[in-house]
């Protein structure tokens, strides 16, 4: 499966040329997604399409196949729309189309793709960046797309834009002139090697790094909160999601990793992680 | 078996079509897609579930579990009653007869 087959093309349409359908105008239920900060999105159906609205930015409409159309609000730049497409809309569209998407950063290792999931602010991007400095190339920043088949669980490469917090940029000595630009993994698909669920250590007296492999059932309940779910109330979509995650935890090791929040400890923690998980 | 008179395929409720199940090691995980509740069956419960999915009658399941776990028939029957009652309460199985 090529990238082109997985990632739908984005078409930008002026609101003058097409009037967007807004959440209040649909008779379907409206699903609300809330992220950190002011992030908020609404998903709904109407006019034969699925729709996702990002207030203050615009709406995306799509079907089961074909391109995705973005209708920006007046004054919103194309760059902002394209960025929101990669970070916010695309994962949901892919999930709606039958792929599974984990809220995770990821790097490519010699053994396969290592996913790093956790709540916003847990350090996914920071850890992925630190691992990339050891030679593990970036694979995903915020959304890891995967597919389950008889051949196993494979991570699919889709374009992404890596972002680091200012604090992490300082700690990792990232050149401030280094802009975050959309990246595409070099390979289309790789086996998913392991998943790490990041949790903050309770305090600075905790061990530098705590790494525990989860039993499959624990792994299942640990991963589900990090699954992207487009209109999860629809039972067949929920069935596909559940089946895929049960298959994942049966064949892919899942670890809980607790890291101290102190970024000065990060290099040592990364070394330990590489020795014990990546090997 | 104490329930030989009701040993037919209608004596146990059917698994709900809204439930996804999968064996993970010794256990079976059940996920109800309407309630999003997750259950784990221990090894004995897991075996019961697989036999139920396989379409066995209550009598066949009791005989199989009694043989595999070397447990008296009355004990197997009582444990099945408890498990089926719990599964029914969580709508993991339909409201059919217990036999």
């Amino acid at each position: 499966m090529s990238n082109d087959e997985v990632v739908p093309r984005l078409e930008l349409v002026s609101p003058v040329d097409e009037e967007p359908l807004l959440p209040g105008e649909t008779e379907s239920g409206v699903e609300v997604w809330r992220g950190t900060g002011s992030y908020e999105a609404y998903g709904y159906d109407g006019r034969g399409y699925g729709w996702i609205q990002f207030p203050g930015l615009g709406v995306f409409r799509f079907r089961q196949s074909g391109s995705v159309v973005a209708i920006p609000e007046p004054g919103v730049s194309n760059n902002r729309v394209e960025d929101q497409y990669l970070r916010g809309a695309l994962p949901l569209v892919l999930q709606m189309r039958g792929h599974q998407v984990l809220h995770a950063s990821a790097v490519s290792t010699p053994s396969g793709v290592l996913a790093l999931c956790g709540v916003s602010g847990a350090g996914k991007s920071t850890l992925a960046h630190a691992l990339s400095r050891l030679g593990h190339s970036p694979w995903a920043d915020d959304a890891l797309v995967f597919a389950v088949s008889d051949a196993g669980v494979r991570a699919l490469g889709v374009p992404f834009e890596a972002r680091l917090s200012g604090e992490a940029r300082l700690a990792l000595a990232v050149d401030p002139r280094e802009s975050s630009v959309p990246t595409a993994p070099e390979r289309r698909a790789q086996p998913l090697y392991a998943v790490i669920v990041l949790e903050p250590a309770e305090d600075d007296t905790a061990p530098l790094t705590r790494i525990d492999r989860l039993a499959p059932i624990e792994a299942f309940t640990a991963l589900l909160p990090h699954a992207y779910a487009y209109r999860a109330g629809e039972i067949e979509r929920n069935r596909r999601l559940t089946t895929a995650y049960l298959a994942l935890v049966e064949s892919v090791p899942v670890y809980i990793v607790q890291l101290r929040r102190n970024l000065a400890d990060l290099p040592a923690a990364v070394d330990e992680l590489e020795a014990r998980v990546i090997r | 078996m104490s329930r030989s008179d009701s040993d037919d395929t209608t004596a146990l409720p059917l698994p709900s079509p809204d439930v996804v199940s999968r064996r993970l090691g010794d256990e079976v995980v059940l996920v109800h897609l309407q309630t999003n509740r997750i259950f784990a069956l221990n090894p004995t419960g897991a075996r019961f579930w697989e036999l139920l999915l396989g379409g066995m009658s209550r009598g066949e399941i009791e005989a199989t579990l009694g043989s595999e776990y070397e447990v008296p028939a009355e004990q197997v029957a009582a444990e099945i009653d408890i498990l089926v009652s719990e599964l029914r309460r969580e709508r993991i199985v339909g409201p059919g007869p217990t036999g």
Side-chain angles (χ1 to χ4, degrees):
Chain A
M1 186 177 287
S2 74
N3 261 349
D4 291 341
E5 289 172 293
V6 174
V7 181
R9 190 163 58 88
L10 178 67
E11 293 177 27
L12 284 114
V13 172
S14 161
V16 175
D17 295 328
E18 180 177 336
E19 188 178 344
L21 182 71
L22 299 175
E25 300 166 349
T26 177
E27 293 180 358
S28 76
V30 176
E31 185 162 359
V32 181
W33 297 285
R34 286 197 172 85
T36 54
S38 60
Y39 176 92
E40 190 169 79
Y42 303 94
Y44 44 96
D45 297 320
R47 298 182 193 163
Y49 293 97
W51 298 78
I52 301 172
Q53 184 204 28
F54 294 91
L57 188 130
V59 300
F60 296 85
R61 69 161 169 78
F62 47 91
R63 285 186 164 137
Q64 193 62 41
S65 61
S67 59
V68 173
V69 170
I71 310 172
E73 292 186 12
V76 174
S77 70
N78 288 357
N79 281 349
R80 272 192 68 202
V81 174
E82 287 161 3
D83 176 58
Q84 192 62 57
Y85 175 60
L86 291 182
R87 298 188 70 81
L90 180 60
L92 293 166
V93 172
L94 292 176
Q95 209 274 327
M96 177 263 198
R97 292 183 173 182
H99 299 290
Q100 298 306 327
V101 188
L102 187 63
H103 186 69
S105 297
V107 293
S108 173
T109 78
S111 303
V113 169
L114 173 69
L116 307 160
C117 74
V119 297
S120 291
K124 303 183 292 291
S125 300
T126 304
L127 189 54
H129 193 89
L131 287 168
S132 73
R133 295 194 155 190
L134 298 178
H136 307 299
S137 57
W139 185 272
D141 182 52
D142 203 46
L144 175 71
V145 184
F146 69 92
V148 178
S149 70
D150 292 343
V153 183
R154 294 179 71 77
L156 307 182
V158 301
F160 66 94
E161 185 172 335
R163 281 184 181 170
L164 280 176
S165 69
E167 190 186 9
R169 281 177 167 264
L170 280 174
L172 296 168
V174 175
D175 187 336
R177 292 167 299 181
E178 188 181 317
S179 60
S180 54
V181 294
T183 309
E186 291 175 4
R187 297 174 63 179
R188 293 167 181 167
Q190 272 199 44
L192 182 59
Y193 169 64
V195 180
I196 285 174
V197 181
L198 282 173
E199 287 186 348
E202 290 175 3
D203 53 54
D204 286 345
T205 63
L208 182 64
T209 310
R210 186 181 147 214
I211 303 173
D212 291 322
R213 182 167 175 179
L214 297 177
I217 293 176
E218 296 170 325
F220 180 65
T221 55
L223 289 187
L224 274 189
H226 304 292
Y228 276 85
Y230 177 80
R231 301 183 67 71
E234 293 179 13
I235 200 145
E236 287 312 311
R237 190 166 291 133
N238 196 4
R239 187 187 307 279
R240 287 197 298 271
L241 183 150
T242 302
T243 303
Y245 279 84
L246 284 170
L248 186 158
V249 300
E250 185 181 30
S251 59
V252 177
V254 177
Y255 300 86
I256 284 279
V257 171
Q258 289 189 342
L259 299 177
R260 284 192 209 156
R261 282 196 178 277
N262 188 347
L263 286 170
D265 295 332
L266 189 61
V270 167
D271 287 345
E272 190 174 345
L273 197 63
E274 191 180 42
R276 292 180 56 189
V277 176
I278 300 174
R279 286 188 287 274
Chain B
M1 291 290 162
S2 59
R3 296 173 184 264
S4 57
D5 291 342
S6 58
D7 289 349
D8 57 45
T9 53
T10 63
L12 283 171
L14 294 173
S16 165
D18 292 338
V19 169
V20 170
S21 65
R22 189 178 187 102
R23 176 173 279 279
L24 295 175
D26 290 341
E27 299 179 311
V28 161
V29 176
L30 305 167
V31 182
H32 196 294
L33 301 173
Q34 298 278 9
T35 65
N36 285 324
R37 284 171 61 86
I38 301 167
F39 307 89
L41 297 178
N42 65 20
T44 317
R47 184 72 178 124
F48 166 82
W49 181 258
E50 289 175 337
L51 297 173
L52 184 67
L53 284 182
M56 278 193 174
S57 69
R58 177 165 187 134
E60 290 169 328
I61 292 176
E62 286 182 350
T64 303
L65 291 178
S67 168
E68 290 181 356
Y69 292 93
E70 298 180 350
V71 176
E74 292 74 16
Q75 186 180 337
V76 173
E79 290 184 5
I80 287 178
D81 283 343
I82 293 169
L83 179 57
V84 168
S85 173
E86 290 176 1
L87 295 176
R88 182 181 284 122
R89 188 171 61 242
E90 297 291 350
R91 295 191 283 151
I92 297 293
V93 296
T98 56

